[in-house]
Amino acid sequence: WDAALRGLSVALVDQGDFGAGTSANSLRIVHGGLRYLARGDFARMRESIRERSALLRIAPGLVTPLPVLIPTYRHRLRGRPAMGLALLLNELVSPGRNRGLSPDRAIPAGHLIGRDECLRLFPWFSRQGLTGGALWYDARLLHPERLTFSFVSSAAARGAVAANYVRVDRLQVRRGKIEGASAADLVGGARFDIRSRAVVVAAGPWTSELVAGTLGEGGNRPKTRYALAVNAVLERKLADLAVGCQVVSNPDTDPIGGGGRYLFAAPQGQRALLGTWYGAAGESPGKVESGVRTLVREFNEVCPGLELSLRDVAEGQWGLLPLKGSDEPGRPTALAERPRLTDYPGQVQGLLSVEGVKYTTARRVAEDAVNWVFRSLDRTSPRCRTAEVRLQSAGAPDPLSWEGASVEAGVHRAVREEMAVKLSDIVFRRSTLGTAGRLTRARLVEIARLAAAELGWNALRQQTEIEEVMQRAAAAPAEEPVV
């Protein structure tokens, strides 16, 4: 989106559907960086606040203010004086947070609330030593898959060529300069080359492998290690606001989080998202299910009376996040805190790899990447405008949840205008049908029949597509990728 907006000729290819991986499985909270206060990292806090405001500005129909509540107790670090100071500092650090925002998108000031009000908003907090709560505002991604697609469709409207289900098999290099990529159409089977003077590899956990294949044995690109991040989708709506609780854990039982991490339950329509649990990626099958069980147990421990059970879990969502390793100070097994933009001078000219760490700051990371592209092309860069220019189709809520006669129109739109190729694209990423409640087979049969008329599926293909969606909707994945 940024590259197209600045006038570059752009191609985007993805081996799956756009935003179908970790980006789709976030907790949907756009954090303003309040947690950085504890370490005095005001620079990162201000960056998060600016990017939260940018998302509220450019995608008002898909990003909205979200109240967040955590309880306060008779404890020095979790008490009212400490949290009151944190909220005051948050206010002082963010004076321009509502610049360019309409009143209904503005972020109000945080404040302390009393014990009775805290329990009215969320009656399941542990009452022993409870003194009240700290209430502040962040933002919520109503549908991160749709927001990702809005970036793609906005870029396409500016001339970018975008194609999902196209896999890059190798990057093409000649005399130390990038020349493009060899790609395969995973739907039609064709193979073709994409010519380019600059290539940005932003392929998540596949980034290291793709770059290593280009650099060869002489390359110095270290292999990134990843954590498995798990959230649980609950069939129960717990509250109209997000709530956070600090769980009882230590570095031995929580090696990624380091112990004492916060769990958050965020509203999602008539459901709730609970997260996040972290484990080492690729250790053993069934780790997602283990993570979901741990989330339910830990949240019950700090919220007695809630009595969550696995029957309340609609599915377990998971993604892969980079670890610090040797790239950042601190524990190598901790989550990476800074995005990694790596070029390869002396090895390949015109190649950049990008590994982000959170959705909140993705727009800024893209800005830095496009700045690099202009430098690599020895061209003067126009000013980046993605913090102000509104995304296409993000000004008002899309008809994401189709009912009655609009189902047919919605499927037609998804296929003809929004590059939907599979039934899962339609159900999970072009609409909220797969996230608003439990899917019925009868509903899927209806949608698959409409999609088949558009995409030329036979009866066997329709059945295969239905079973893939039902498996995703019924339970968490049985296995994890080995990274």
Side-chain angles (χ1 to χ4, degrees), residues 10-16 18 161-168 181-184 192 194 200 202-203:
V10 184
L12 167 70
V13 296
D14 194 311
Q15 70 171 352
F18 307 114
V161 177
N164 50 358
Y165 298 101
V166 171
R167 184 187 65 228
V168 170
S182 298
F192 54 93
I194 305 169
V200 177

Side-chain angles (χ1 to χ4, degrees), residues 30-34 36 43-53 358 360-361:
V30 183
H31 290 285
L34 187 62
Y36 299 135
R44 293 191 68 199
M45 186 176 179
R46 283 191 290 266
E47 179 190 47
S48 296
I49 291 168
R50 286 195 302 268
E51 294 308 308
R52 181 186 63 192
S53 298
K358 59 180 182 178
T360 299
T361 54

Side-chain angles (χ1 to χ4, degrees), residues 58-120:
I58 67 176
L62 295 172
V63 185
T64 63
L66 174 70
V68 183
L69 173 66
I70 64 171
T72 57
Y73 290 94
R74 296 190 183 97
H75 184 280
R76 182 169 59 89
L77 295 179
R78 298 167 64 190
R80 291 176 68 83
M83 290 308 305
L85 177 61
L87 295 178
L88 174 61
L89 288 173
N90 185 52
E91 184 73 8
L92 294 175
V93 171
S94 60
R97 65 183 182 274
N98 293 322
R99 180 181 61 83
L101 297 179
S102 59
D104 63 329
R105 290 292 179 269
I107 298 293
H111 59 279
L112 296 175
I113 62 175
R115 187 177 189 273
D116 291 344
E117 175 67 4
C118 182
L119 290 173
R120 184 188 69 80

Side-chain angles (χ1 to χ4, degrees), residues 238-357:
L238 302 182
D240 291 321
L241 57 125
V243 296
C245 293
Q246 189 172 26
V247 300
V248 180
S249 63
N250 57 60
D252 293 331
T253 59
D254 182 21
I256 306 296
R261 75 187 189 284
Y262 271 85
L263 292 185
F264 285 89
Q268 182 181 321
Q270 295 305 308
R271 289 177 161 187
L273 282 168
L274 175 62
T276 302
W277 175 90
Y278 303 101
E283 278 189 349
S284 63
K287 204 64 179 288
V288 173
E289 291 89 335
S290 175
V292 169
R293 292 190 187 94
T294 302
L295 284 172
V296 170
R297 175 180 57 78
E298 289 180 333
F299 205 59
N300 279 333
E301 288 175 354
V302 292
C303 295
L306 184 58
E307 298 182 350
L308 284 178
S309 74
L310 293 178
R311 290 187 298 273
D312 295 313
V313 178
E315 65 172 310
Q317 295 183 339
W318 59 274
L320 298 172
L321 300 175
L323 297 174
K324 286 186 175 182
S326 59
D327 293 322
E328 297 181 36
R331 290 183 298 107
T333 58
L335 293 176
E337 294 184 337
R338 301 187 181 279
R340 296 166 186 169
L341 283 75
T342 309
D343 59 1
Y344 305 89
Q347 299 177 79
V348 178
Q349 182 180 339
L351 174 63
L352 179 73
S353 64
V354 178
E355 293 178 272
V357 295

